[in-house]
Every structure is written in C-alpha cells, then in structure tokens.
Amino acid sequence: MRGANTTLAQIRKNCGQNASSLRVELWVQRSNHQGELVDLIQSARRNANADIINPGGYSFTSIAILDAIKAFEGPVLEVHISNIHARDEYHRHSKISSVATGVICGLGPHGYIAAMHAAAEMAKKS
C-alpha cells in the first residue's frame, strides 16, 4: 500500500486480508459526521474488543469523540496516515491521543495494519 494514491477500498481490502491472517473479525465504518462517529464508538462497546480510529480533523476538536472513547473498555489505537507532529501548530496536538492506548502516525495506510497487529497482541494479553 502506498500513501496518497491509496483508496479507501484498497485500505479496506488490505485490512480485511490482514484480519483473516490474524484470525480476527474486522468491522470497518466511516463517517464525516461527528454524532455518527460517537454512535459507532458507543456501539463498539458491545461488539468489539479493540477500537482502531482515525478521527481525522476531529482529533483536534472533538470532546464528544474523546468522551465516547473514554467509555470504551478495550484498547483504542489512534491512526493517522500522515505524521501529525510534522504539521502546523494547530494540527499537532490530538485531543484523542490523551485517551488512546496507542497512537500510530506517519506510516501511511500501513498504519492501519500496524494497529491491527498491535490490537491483536493486546487482546491476547487481556
């Protein structure tokens, strides 16, 4: 998987293949709407052992997503395709990072695969 030219469909396909090799179930959701993302995070409390999230622009602004993640009992891995620490001052400090179990950024689309492997390892230990 390469960076800027990788489509969401390719990311989903690669994550699905990796989920099979890790023998984990993958549930992929996407939304541009903050309330819908909060609903998805809250529903994951009933259905998921781990949560991998790329909160995009909401990383820097959303207290609602932050609070929803706080209520999730399993590991939460925050993923960013680019290195947010190399961005401008406003886009460097994710609010979500303060409650995430781990943060992966700057690995391009491969960050999702790294997060899946980390989540699978964390699940073995719990």
Side-chain angles (χ1 to χ4, degrees), residues 13-121:
K13 179 182 175 189
N14 288 333
C15 287
Q17 290 169 343
N18 275 275
S20 294
S21 70
L22 290 169
R23 297 177 190 223
V24 299
E25 186 176 337
L26 179 65
W27 182 49
V28 178
Q29 297 293 315
R30 181 192 175 284
S31 179
N32 288 323
H33 303 281
Q34 179 176 229
E36 188 173 343
L37 292 170
V38 168
D39 290 344
L40 290 167
I41 294 163
Q42 289 173 338
S43 69
R45 291 176 62 200
R46 294 183 301 274
N47 309 337
N49 295 324
D51 194 354
I52 298 169
I53 183 169
N54 180 338
Y58 292 124
S59 305
F60 316 102
T61 62
S62 181
I63 300 302
I65 290 175
L66 174 88
D67 287 344
I69 289 172
K70 282 182 184 177
F72 187 83
E73 294 181 9
V76 175
L77 298 167
E78 178 183 7
V79 174
H80 295 279
I81 291 173
S82 65
N83 179 358
I84 64 170
H85 303 291
R87 291 185 184 173
D88 63 276
E89 187 61 32
Y90 186 76
H91 293 97
R92 241 181 238 167
H93 304 286
S94 167
K95 292 182 183 311
I96 306 307
S97 295
S98 68
V99 296
T101 309
V103 179
I104 298 170
C105 66
L107 299 182
H110 184 72
Y112 294 104
I113 304 304
M116 290 174 62
H117 283 268
E121 284 300 313

